[in-house]
Each structure stands twice: as structure tokens, then as C-alpha cells.
């Protein structure tokens, strides 16, 4: 297993944060630009604008007209992509190290030089509308997930889908995109991450020649305007029935602290709790519901730990033939209740810690994934040092810590339960 890389970080004079992650195994680099804005920063009534703008960022500039960016990446044998999350939007390329300067020049150009023409904006909006129809509107499981999140987050924008609500996407236009672009796409709101066969001195020189030429904005830096989620004291059930459902499922979700909002070691305890509860086929949920009781053919859990605001913790079960979702709910509840009442054993806790830390180390074998770890950490309130300290913080979690967060955050009266069922009609 690899040792943790020696990461360098600094800022350019215009405020651009730069992170350099050395990886000498091959003469390639991953070049990523993260912006501190995502779907949760969409203005009211304009849901989906962050994701829509991600599409539009490939429409070209005066220096690099439509298609030139992607053609350049392809011509040097590189790969590129982009993605939008709730808290950030990112663009990346993976190329041979000698082409890094060209990638920086291209990305710096479209950070300020984007050109949007009316017809192209309209056609790309139609592409996004069709994407929503294919991924959500035609998929009952995706529809349930969307409704579950809208119920879990009753006030916070995490309850709005990243792609946006269909009727609001239809109203997005050129001026909406440009206003959002001018507000967030600027060097002081961005993080440049370079992972690969290069050092900080080389990156600093190349970044200075490209990104460093971008002037600081004349208006105030962008701020995130987030509302707080109110305390809800009622459990809720969300049910979706559809003839297209092939496999019923039950899931439950809870609002919990993320690393950004947690106090003490709560977030690390929640990470271990999720691993113990449903992180693998040796987890408690899988052993109890699938292997021992036979009421499920699949079961597991998740924890969204890198949100800027409140995260979420969840568990799910896929019933075996002839088993009702109520039976699954009862079985999941009993497993979770045991974690609230009793301490995890030393051996089980040690196995969970070893598994989580090993997964983190193995993730470093992917240059792109390693860069993404730093990008998501830095755009959601963390520091470069937090990534290196993560294994130490995981090791420090006790069985009492896990029982405490289970009791504090996973009480049944705090849950939103989602049922996906086949509509016989």
C-alpha cells in the first residue's frame, strides 16, 4: 500500500488556491478545477442552473470556439469530463505531463471568456430536459430518491435535485447562465488541483503564466447563502408505486452532521457506524437480514459525509420473494436498535477501522480519485491537512462514540422511510 503523498498547496496573487499532489508512477497528470458553487447555490426558482452552466461551459470562447477545447484534449490523447454536485462544480483533464500548460491555458480562458449564443443555449437546455426525463422521470427508483430527499430536507436546497425541477429547467435562459457564471466563475472562488508526475515549482510557474493572468474581480467575492434546516419531530413515509418497478425496496434516511458541521469526532464515528451497519457483506445488516433471517436479498447503509451543510445517513433492504416491506422495516429497525443500546465489540470495531483505512489507501491508486478527495474536502470547509489526518481520527473513535451518535441521530422518530413497490394496476 502506498504512503500518503506529500501535498503542497499555495495561492496565486489573484486568490486562486492551488494543490499539488505528486504521483511519479507514470508521466501523466490530472488537472482539475473546482468551483465553490453547486446545485445548492442555485437561486430560488432557478434550480438546475449550476448543472446547466456545466453543460454550457463547453460552448467555447473567442480564443477557443465551440469544440476546440475537446478537440485539443483529444488530439493529445487526453481524457476530460465535468460534474456538478450540491456544493461544487468541477472540470478535469488527464493528459501526458508535457501538455499540462495547454490544459491550464484552456481552462483559464473559459473561466472568464465564455461566449453564449441564444440558439445554442436553447438547444443545450433541451438536452438537459431530455437528460432529466431519461434519468429521473422514467425511473421509479430515481423518482423515489428525489421525493425522499425533498422530504428529508424540508427547507434546505439539498432537497432540490442537482439537475433541477423539470418546470424550472424549462425556464432557464442565457441571462440566467451568464449571471451565475459571473458570480461564481472567478479565481478567488476556484481551487486548482494537479495530481501526477510534477512538482509544486513546475505547477506554480505554469499556473502563474495562465491562471495568474486573470485579474481579481472588482465586485465582492461570491458568498454562499444557505438556509438552516428546521428541527422536524415527526417520522415520515414516502411511497411510490409504479408498474415498471421490478424489485421493491425499503430505505430510511436521517439528517446527520457532515465533517463540516460535526462537533468533535461525530463524523468519524458516523463513518464507522455506517461501515459496521451496512458497509459490506460482513456488516450487521447483511448478516442479519440476508444470511441469517433470509428476509432480504440485499441490504446496506450509506453516509454522506462531505456536505457543506447537514449530511445524511441511510439504510436499505431489498426484500426476498414474498417478504413485505413492513417486515424489512422491522428487521432493519432491530439491527439499528441494537447499535443504539449496546457497545460494538473490540474486534468488530477494529475490523471496521482497518477496512475504512485500507479503502482510503487503495483509493490513492487512482490519480483522479485522489484529486477528487482533496477537491471535495476543500470546497466543503475542510483543509489539506484534514485528508492526511483522517486515518488518525478514525483510529481514535471508540465504541462509546459510535453508540452515542447512533442514539443522537438515528432514532426512528427522526427517519424518513421510503417504499418502492410494484403497482399491480
Amino acid at each position: 500500500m502506498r504512503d500518503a503523498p506529500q501535498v503542497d498547496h499555495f495561492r496565486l496573487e489573484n486568490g486562486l488556491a492551488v494543490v499539488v499532489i505528486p504521483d511519479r508512477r507514470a508521466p501523466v497528470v490530472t488537472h482539475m478545477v473546482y468551483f465553490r458553487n453547486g446545485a445548492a447555490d442555485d437561486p430560488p426558482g432557478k434550480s438546475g442552473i449550476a448543472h446547466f452552466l456545466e453543460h454550457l461551459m463547453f460552448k467555447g470562447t473567442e480564443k477557443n470556439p465551440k469544440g476546440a477545447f475537446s478537440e485539443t484534449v483529444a488530439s493529445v490523447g487526453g481524457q476530460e469530463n465535468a460534474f456538478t454536485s450540491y456544493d461544487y462544480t468541477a472540470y478535469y483533464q488527464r493528459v501526458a505531463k508535457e501538455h499540462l500548460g495547454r490544459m491550464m491555458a484552456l481552462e483559464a480562458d473559459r473561466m472568464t471568456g465564455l461566449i453564449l449564443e441564444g440558439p445554442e443555449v436553447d438547444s443545450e437546455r433541451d438536452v438537459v430536459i431530455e437528460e432529466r426525463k431519461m434519468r429521473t422521470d422514467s425511473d421509479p427508483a430515481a423518482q423515489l430518491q428525489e421525493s425522499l430527499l425533498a422530504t428529508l430536507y424540508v427547507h434546505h436546497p439539498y432537497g432540490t435535485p442537482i439537475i433541477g425541477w423539470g418546470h424550472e429547467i424549462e425556464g432557464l435562459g442565457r441571462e440566467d447562465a451568464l449571471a451565475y457564471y459571473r458570480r461564481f466563475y472567478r479565481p478567488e472562488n476556484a481551487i486548482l488541483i494537479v495530481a501526477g508526475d510534477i512538482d509544486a515549482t513546475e505547477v506554480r510557474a505554469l499556473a502563474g503564466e495562465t491562471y495568474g493572468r486573470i485579474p481579481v474581480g472588482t465586485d465582492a467575492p461570491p458568498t454562499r447563502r444557505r438556509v438552516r434546516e428546521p428541527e422536524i419531530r415527526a417520522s415520515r413515509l414516502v411511497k411510490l408505486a409504479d408498474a415498471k418497478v421490478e424489485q421493491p425496496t425499503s430505505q430510511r434516511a436521517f439528517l446527520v452532521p457532515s465533517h463540516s458541521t460535526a462537533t468533535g469526532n461525530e463524523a468519524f464515528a458516523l463513518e464507522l457506524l455506517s461501515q459496521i451497519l451496512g458497509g459490506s457483506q460482513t456488516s450487521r445488516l447483511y448478516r442479519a437480514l440476508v444470511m441469517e433471517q433470509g428476509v432480504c436479498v440485499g441490504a446496506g447503509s450509506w453516509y454522506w459525509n462531505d456536505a457543506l451543510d447537514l449530511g445524511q445517513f441511510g439504510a436499505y433492504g431489498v426484500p426476498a420473494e414474498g417478504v413485505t416491506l413492513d417486515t424489512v422495516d422491522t428487521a432493519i429497525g432491530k439491527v439499528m436498535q441494537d447499535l443504539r443500546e449496546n457497545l460494538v465489540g473490540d474486534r468488530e470495531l477494529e475490523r471496521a477501522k482497518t477496512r475504512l483505512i485500507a479503502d482510503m489507501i487503495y483509493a490513492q491508486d487512482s490519480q483522479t480519485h485522489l484529486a477528487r478527495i482533496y477537491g471535495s474536502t476543500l470546497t466543503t470547509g475542510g483543509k489539506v491537512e484534514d485528508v492526511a489526518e483522517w486515518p488518525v481520527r478514525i483510529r481514535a473513535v471508540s465504541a462509546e462514540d459510535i453508540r452515542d451518535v447512533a442514539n443522537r441521530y438515528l432514532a426512528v422518530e427522526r427517519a424518513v422511510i421510503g417504499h418502492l413497490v410494484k403497482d399491480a394496476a
Side-chain angles (χ1 to χ4, degrees), residues 78-234:
Q79 303 168 335
E80 66 169 337
N81 213 330
F83 50 90
T84 304
S85 182
Y86 279 108
D87 296 313
Y88 50 81
T89 309
Y91 304 83
Y92 73 91
Q93 303 85 38
R94 192 164 189 261
V95 295
K97 62 177 295 184
E98 62 265 26
H99 302 302
L100 177 60
R102 294 180 71 183
M103 298 302 106
M104 287 188 176
L106 287 168
E107 204 67 83
D109 176 44
R110 73 173 173 184
M111 188 183 289
T112 58
L114 183 65
I115 295 176
L116 297 180
E117 304 294 341
E120 286 194 343
V121 173
D122 294 342
S123 63
E124 197 62 38
R125 183 182 59 222
D126 292 340
V127 170
V128 175
I129 291 171
E130 191 61 30
E131 179 184 343
R132 180 183 164 83
K133 289 179 179 178
M134 292 178 61
R135 293 187 177 183
T136 304
D137 298 343
S138 62
D139 183 352
Q143 293 172 39
L144 176 66
Q145 186 67 18
E146 188 174 84
S147 296
L148 186 144
L149 290 180
T151 306
L152 182 65
Y153 295 98
V154 300
H155 190 46
H156 193 279
Y158 288 161
T160 298
I162 291 173
I163 197 170
W165 298 115
H167 66 286
E168 292 188 348
I169 299 172
E170 292 172 356
L172 298 178
R174 177 176 180 272
E175 294 306 315
D176 299 316
L178 286 175
Y180 195 85
Y181 174 72
R182 295 182 186 118
R183 178 184 172 194
F184 288 112
Y185 282 63
R186 41 200 293 178
E188 66 268 38
N189 195 50
I191 302 168
L192 167 64
I193 301 175
V194 180
D197 187 20
I198 200 162
D199 59 37
T201 300
E202 296 172 283
V203 172
R204 186 187 292 270
L206 291 172
E209 294 169 2
T210 53
Y211 295 104
R213 297 180 182 273
I214 303 173
V216 179
T218 56
D219 53 344
T223 56
R224 288 171 152 173
R225 306 180 184 97
R226 301 285 182 83
V227 295
R228 290 181 59 186
E229 188 69 11
E231 180 73 22
I232 302 297
R233 298 178 176 86

Side-chain angles (χ1 to χ4, degrees), residues 106-411:
L106 287 168
E107 204 67 83
D109 176 44
R110 73 173 173 184
M111 188 183 289
T112 58
L114 183 65
I115 295 176
L116 297 180
E117 304 294 341
E120 286 194 343
V121 173
D122 294 342
S123 63
E124 197 62 38
R125 183 182 59 222
D126 292 340
V127 170
V128 175
I129 291 171
E130 191 61 30
E131 179 184 343
R132 180 183 164 83
K133 289 179 179 178
M134 292 178 61
R135 293 187 177 183
T136 304
D137 298 343
S138 62
D139 183 352
Q143 293 172 39
L144 176 66
Q145 186 67 18
E146 188 174 84
S147 296
L148 186 144
L149 290 180
T151 306
L152 182 65
Y153 295 98
V154 300
H155 190 46
H156 193 279
Y158 288 161
T160 298
I162 291 173
I163 197 170
W165 298 115
H167 66 286
E168 292 188 348
I169 299 172
E170 292 172 356
L172 298 178
R174 177 176 180 272
E175 294 306 315
D176 299 316
L178 286 175
Y180 195 85
Y181 174 72
R182 295 182 186 118
R183 178 184 172 194
F184 288 112
Y185 282 63
R186 41 200 293 178
E188 66 268 38
N189 195 50
I191 302 168
L192 167 64
I193 301 175
V194 180
D197 187 20
I198 200 162
D199 59 37
T201 300
E202 296 172 283
V203 172
R204 186 187 292 270
L206 291 172
E209 294 169 2
T210 53
Y211 295 104
R213 297 180 182 273
I214 303 173
V216 179
T218 56
D219 53 344
T223 56
R224 288 171 152 173
R225 306 180 184 97
R226 301 285 182 83
V227 295
R228 290 181 59 186
E229 188 69 11
E231 180 73 22
I232 302 297
R233 298 178 176 86
S235 61
R236 289 147 285 171
L237 172 65
V238 179
K239 181 177 179 181
L240 190 143
D242 194 293
K244 296 191 293 293
V245 172
E246 297 182 359
Q247 179 62 68
T249 60
S250 176
Q251 56 183 304
R252 62 184 64 191
F254 307 81
L255 290 177
V256 299
S258 63
H259 278 286
S260 177
T261 59
T263 58
N265 64 354
E266 285 182 331
F268 301 94
L270 285 164
E271 289 196 59
L272 281 163
L273 175 59
S274 181
Q275 178 66 30
I276 292 166
L277 176 65
S280 70
Q281 292 188 355
T282 61
S283 67
R284 291 197 178 192
L285 278 177
Y286 195 91
R287 291 202 320 268
L289 276 62
V290 179
M291 300 177 66
E292 297 171 5
Q293 301 174 30
V295 296
C296 286
V297 296
S301 64
W302 72 89
Y303 171 40
W304 180 25
N305 64 351
D306 64 350
L308 179 64
D309 300 311
L310 278 177
Q312 60 181 262
F313 189 104
Y316 70 90
V318 181
E321 186 71 27
V323 176
T324 67
L325 293 184
D326 287 342
T327 299
V328 173
D329 289 342
T330 299
I332 292 175
K334 288 181 178 179
V335 174
M336 297 183 77
Q337 181 66 26
D338 183 62
L339 284 166
R340 289 194 295 270
E341 293 178 350
N342 301 300
L343 293 175
V344 175
D346 292 342
R347 291 183 61 186
E348 185 178 19
L349 179 56
E350 186 60 28
R351 283 198 304 268
K353 291 178 178 181
T354 301
R355 177 66 179 268
L356 278 183
I357 293 172
D359 286 347
M360 177 65 147
I361 294 173
Y362 291 139
Q364 296 175 17
D365 284 337
S366 168
Q367 193 179 92
T368 301
H369 187 70
L370 183 57
R372 291 184 68 159
I373 291 173
Y374 281 91
S376 62
T377 298
L378 294 174
T379 51
T380 55
K383 304 184 298 296
V384 167
E385 294 77 16
D386 293 337
V387 179
E389 293 172 1
W390 182 87
V392 177
R393 300 293 301 275
I394 286 291
R395 284 290 183 198
V397 173
S398 68
E400 288 80 6
D401 295 329
I402 293 173
R403 185 178 62 182
D404 287 347
V405 294
N407 277 286
R408 193 174 304 135
Y409 300 111
L410 305 188

